[in-house]
Amino acid sequence: MSPLFYPLRKAEAETEVRKSRFLSFLFPCKKEDEVREQIRAMKAAHKNAAHVVHAFVLGQREPLMRGMSDDGEPSGTAGRPVMALVEGRGLVNILLVVVRYFGGIKLGTGGLVKAYADAAMAVLEKAELAAFIEEKEVEIVFPYTLQGAVSGCLASEKIIISDEAYGEEVRMTLRIPEEKEDILRQKLRDCSSGRVFF
């Protein structure tokens, strides 16, 4: 699967095409109700705009939730080019809104597609993105005498310990990137002479 990316924070940009102003906004969103609320807020803030177009992708793996709107522009000329850029860059947990203030000159369908794509590209170029990493939880069990060695090994790999329990032995629940699982298993075996159990 191709890597996925998500925005770290909001971004804004502005472009102009033949006297029409295009304001583009990028929002990190994880849930559909966040998306709907943000769209409502944008429409309220720009009630004098001709169109408030959007595209969003939510989730971390297929099937992803997707949605878009031309908001009154000719079908396929606004939401679709914005969505094409979002999907083409592998972006998730994102809402991209493009607000158009009409400048009095019609752009035609080809001109609209290009204008909305350029507006979306302008804000994506300002976006701060991070790679989405698939994580899984694993539980390890080991004797108390190995706690120092195991903790050192986990720290060197920047592994997050999400839970610890102390009984006859130490039990730890770890959150690890899926691609690091085999490497971590081998490192823990090496530092414990095979006495860490998964």
Side-chain angles (χ1 to χ4, degrees), residues 2-197:
S2 298
L4 297 174
F5 298 88
Y6 62 94
L8 293 172
R9 54 190 56 84
K10 181 182 171 184
E12 299 179 18
E14 182 174 343
T15 54
E16 188 173 316
V17 181
R18 301 182 73 188
K19 297 187 179 177
S20 279
R21 284 174 62 225
F22 292 84
L23 310 178
S24 41
F25 302 86
L26 180 152
F27 302 95
C29 290
K30 290 186 178 175
K31 297 179 182 171
E32 191 176 7
D33 58 350
E34 286 179 72
V35 167
R36 301 293 172 209
E37 183 52 44
Q38 199 62 254
I39 292 167
R40 272 195 296 276
M42 292 301 290
K43 287 191 173 192
H46 298 278
K47 50 181 176 280
N48 296 326
H51 308 279
V52 180
V53 167
H54 73 264
F56 68 87
V57 179
L58 303 178
Q60 298 170 352
R61 61 183 67 81
E62 292 290 355
L64 297 167
M65 177 182 283
R66 297 170 171 89
M68 61 185 166
S69 167
D70 293 312
D71 193 39
E73 293 281 29
S75 180
T77 62
R80 171 108 13 236
V82 173
M83 179 65 87
L85 279 167
V86 169
E87 290 185 321
R89 291 188 167 207
L91 301 176
V92 295
N93 295 334
I94 182 173
L95 166 65
L96 204 157
V97 176
V98 180
V99 177
R100 180 186 183 192
Y101 284 90
F102 183 55
I105 301 171
K106 292 192 174 182
L107 302 179
T109 54
L112 283 172
V113 169
K114 183 174 183 336
Y116 278 101
D118 288 349
M121 181 63 79
V123 77
L124 287 172
E125 285 173 352
K126 292 185 172 186
E128 291 180 62
L129 304 174
F132 174 76
I133 298 168
E134 290 276 0
E135 289 185 328
K136 67 185 296 185
E137 283 199 339
V138 296
E139 186 179 81
I140 60 172
V141 181
F142 54 89
Y144 283 90
T145 54
L146 291 174
Q147 187 153 13
V150 169
S151 295
C153 182
L154 296 177
S156 72
E157 291 295 316
K158 297 182 172 64
I159 301 299
I160 295 167
I161 302 166
S162 55
D163 193 28
E164 292 178 85
Y166 297 92
E168 290 181 22
E169 297 177 298
V170 180
R171 284 182 183 274
M172 287 183 177
T173 304
L174 312 175
R175 278 201 354 249
I176 60 172
E178 284 190 350
E179 76 269 9
K180 272 193 173 183
E181 184 178 3
D182 292 338
I183 295 165
L184 182 65
R185 282 180 188 271
Q186 190 58 54
K187 281 199 166 190
L188 286 170
R189 279 192 203 101
D190 292 346
C191 79
S192 70
S193 303
R195 291 188 295 153
V196 172
F197 299 98

